[in-house]
Amino acid sequence: MKSGVISRKNLVLVLTHTDVLKDGRIVKSIEAFLELDNMKVLAVGRRSNEVWVETKLKNENLRVVYLPAKPKIPLRILSILKSSGLLRALRLFRKRIRESVLLGPSRRKFWQTAAKISSETVRAGIFSLSVVGLAWAHVGLSRPRVIYCNDEYVLAAGIILKKLFNSKLIYDAHELEHDKNGQTNSRRRATFEFEKRAWPHVDHFVTVSDAIRRHYLANFGPKPSTVILNSP
């Protein structure tokens, strides 16, 4: 993307927790935006070592920026977390639960799950703030017209940026996010509740099948929506 002032009328901010140029679905969405007249795209993602998908997507109107493999916590935020004792409390909480012999198996499992979700929530919060910071640094005064979020992992960052830039927010669920393979029941419930609370902030919903689209609309409410298949 060339340097200079970019009008909000022709800037799209694409967010993902994966490698932007190695995800075929994200590449398709970027290509669609770039086909529009004078449209520019800033994509924020996380670099991967995977090479199973390759792309030759190159365009002067596209800029891709990556978070480090392990995003660093901004010093100011880290200082606040340390001074509040939150990080130490979480570590101590998990340690005590693992070592506890007083709790019955069912109660011990419950608190272990609660501790794990708490840690995941903190990590997700740190990741979201890292995405917001990186996007803000590269967007500057060129407030994007549209923010395109791929999957629920970057949805919180998308909502924050929507409020900051007064942009439209598109949420692309690449699958049924609150019922993915490998998710625990507690993780499913947490993801469902998060998506439910985030839903009012979404201006347009995109997903991979009509069945998933109808499921979201039935559970979270009516919303302008589009189905884009993963097929080439």
Side-chain angles (χ1 to χ4, degrees):
M1 188 182 295
K2 293 180 179 179
S3 60
V5 177
I6 304 170
S7 168
R8 65 170 284 112
K9 293 182 179 181
N10 63 350
L11 176 63
V12 176
L13 176 60
V14 176
L15 305 179
T16 179
H17 67 289
T18 61
D19 194 324
V20 175
L21 299 182
K22 293 180 181 177
D23 189 313
R25 184 174 177 84
I26 297 175
V27 169
K28 283 173 61 178
S29 65
I30 291 175
E31 288 175 334
F33 283 122
L34 291 175
E35 287 177 0
L36 301 175
D37 289 340
N38 201 32
M39 188 63 71
K40 300 178 186 295
V41 175
L42 170 64
V44 178
R46 184 156 53 182
R47 193 178 296 279
S48 168
N49 292 324
E50 295 176 356
V51 294
W52 62 276
V53 175
E54 291 293 344
T55 178
K56 295 181 180 179
L57 181 60
K58 294 181 180 179
N59 192 297
E60 64 177 2
N61 290 325
L62 169 67
R63 178 187 295 165
V64 179
V65 294
Y66 288 105
L67 290 163
K70 294 182 179 180
K72 295 181 180 180
I73 309 174
L75 292 179
R76 177 59 180 165
I77 297 175
L78 182 61
S79 175
I80 293 173
L81 291 174
K82 285 184 175 180
S83 62
S84 67
L86 179 60
L87 294 180
R88 183 173 180 277
L90 283 172
R91 294 191 188 103
L92 184 60
F93 181 44
R94 296 190 67 180
K95 180 179 178 183
R96 291 288 172 82
I97 291 297
R98 285 196 300 267
E99 295 175 349
S100 176
V101 294
L102 299 177
L103 298 175
S106 60
R107 293 190 64 190
R108 188 185 305 119
K109 183 178 180 180
F110 169 81
W111 286 109
Q112 285 175 333
T113 301
K116 182 178 180 181
I117 291 177
S118 298
S119 297
E120 290 175 350
T121 301
V122 171
R123 287 197 296 271
I126 293 170
F127 176 79
S128 295
L129 291 174
S130 300
V131 172
V132 169
L134 185 60
W136 181 278
H138 285 271
V139 168
L141 298 177
S142 307
R143 298 168 180 263
R145 182 179 183 182
V146 174
I147 298 173
Y148 196 99
C149 289
N150 293 277
D151 294 329
E152 56 89 18
Y153 206 68
V154 292
L155 187 52
I159 292 172
I160 294 172
L161 289 165
K162 169 185 172 152
K163 299 300 182 183
L164 290 173
F165 296 139
N166 192 29
S167 306
K168 296 295 184 181
L169 179 63
I170 299 176
Y171 175 35
D172 188 341
H174 294 197
E175 54 186 311
L176 188 54
E177 294 294 325
H178 51 265
D179 194 16
K180 294 188 288 192
N181 291 333
Q183 279 184 330
T184 62
N185 288 333
S186 56
R187 184 61 184 167
R188 287 190 183 98
R189 288 194 297 270
T191 303
F192 181 89
E193 288 301 321
F194 168 67
E195 287 187 301
K196 184 177 181 179
R197 293 177 183 276
W199 194 248
H201 302 285
V202 175
D203 296 292
H204 195 98
F205 177 62
V206 178
T207 192
V208 297
S209 75
D210 191 57
I212 293 178
R213 184 188 69 85
R214 285 186 279 107
H215 174 88
Y216 272 88
L217 299 186
N219 282 277
F220 300 147
K223 181 82 60 183
S225 54
T226 303
V227 173
I228 300 177
L229 302 177
N230 279 331
S231 57

